[in-house]
Amino acid sequence: MRLLILNPNTSRGVTDRIREAAEAAAMPGDAFTTTRPAFGPKLIVTDADAEEAKRAVIDTVRNYTAPCDGIVLASFGNTGAEEVRALRADIPVIGIASAAFATARALGGPFGIVTFGAGLVEGLRAKAEEAGLGAALIGISHVPVADFGDPGTVQHRFRAELAALCAQMHAKGAASIVMGGGPLAGLAPVLARDCPVPVIDGTRAAINLIRSVAVDHAEGAARRSGASGRG
């Protein structure tokens, strides 16, 4: 399976974390290209950030010419998803928020979100509500710091704090926990070792979701192409 995994922000460190998470989910024969736009915000926090990142995502996808079976948009804003689907209607396009929330819905019961910055809370809540899971969301917890610093290193610097937040979320009654934000890519399997309920990684969830449909999607496209060539 050939995937373009696109970090909509320009942080090299965050892109590295996303790449590591993707490679950990790879199977034999997979070929993943993880990249970031040439321009845009280092982290998407404000509406203005999101608009600039959307333009950068569209530009990156337009200029990507390698064979591709699917695209993962690795931000919790699902940045540019509708526009990218219009550009690449031939392949599945999945944002990590959509994939993470689909997993929480499938697991059932109340769930919580754990993230690293207070400024991300309302955006994460909005995405959960957009996914129709507002009633199931029991809370969003974040690391209690005023300045989280380099987003590419937050999961390493605040691992103990994030683990404690997961434990607290479980104690509140969460049946599953979503790690909120691209910079936390790959951390869920680590925290899951000491957490009694599933901890959901959006990047892994998106890859697995595309994997479940990409082969059938490609075979269907091939059949349609073959049929149109007859006559």
Side-chain angles (χ1 to χ4, degrees):
M1 183 172 68
R2 301 161 300 182
L3 297 183
L4 170 62
I5 301 173
L6 178 54
N7 172 21
N9 68 61
T10 60
S11 167
R12 183 184 299 274
V14 172
T15 306
D16 288 344
R17 302 293 81 74
I18 293 167
R19 180 181 295 107
E20 291 163 3
E23 292 301 329
M27 297 179 65
D30 286 343
F32 298 164
T33 298
T34 303
T35 190
R36 58 196 173 117
F39 65 93
K42 288 188 176 180
L43 187 68
I44 303 168
V45 178
T46 67
D47 290 342
D49 292 338
E51 284 302 312
E52 185 180 14
K54 182 189 296 186
R55 292 192 296 272
V57 164
I58 294 167
D59 181 74
T60 304
V61 172
R62 279 191 177 130
N63 288 296
Y64 187 78
T65 59
C68 188
D69 299 311
I71 297 174
V72 173
L73 299 175
S75 78
F76 262 76
N78 297 323
T79 307
E82 292 184 8
E83 291 81 3
V84 172
R85 290 187 184 112
L87 285 172
R88 295 301 311 264
D90 56 316
I91 56 176
V93 177
I94 304 292
I96 61 173
S98 296
F101 292 141
T103 303
R105 185 194 302 277
L107 290 170
F111 77 103
I113 301 174
V114 168
T115 189
F116 57 91
L120 305 176
V121 169
E122 289 310 310
L124 291 167
R125 190 184 310 280
K127 297 310 292 185
E129 292 173 352
E130 182 182 302
L133 289 174
L137 178 63
I138 63 172
I140 303 176
S141 299
H142 63 87
V143 176
V145 295
D147 181 4
F148 54 75
D150 179 2
T153 64
V154 290
Q155 63 170 272
H156 300 302
R157 288 185 288 112
F158 299 125
R159 183 166 298 177
E161 291 88 342
L162 291 162
L165 291 174
C166 286
Q168 293 166 18
M169 193 63 73
H170 167 248
K172 292 178 182 178
S176 63
I177 299 167
V178 169
M179 300 307 296
L184 299 183
L187 183 59
V190 177
L191 300 183
R193 298 168 191 161
D194 298 311
C195 188
V197 297
V199 183
I200 301 167
D201 181 287
T203 300
R204 283 177 172 243
I207 290 169
N208 291 335
L209 189 55
I210 290 180
R211 192 185 301 284
S212 70
V213 300
V215 173
D216 291 341
H217 193 281
E219 289 178 351
R223 285 195 297 270
R224 290 191 295 274
S225 176
S228 66
R230 292 195 297 269

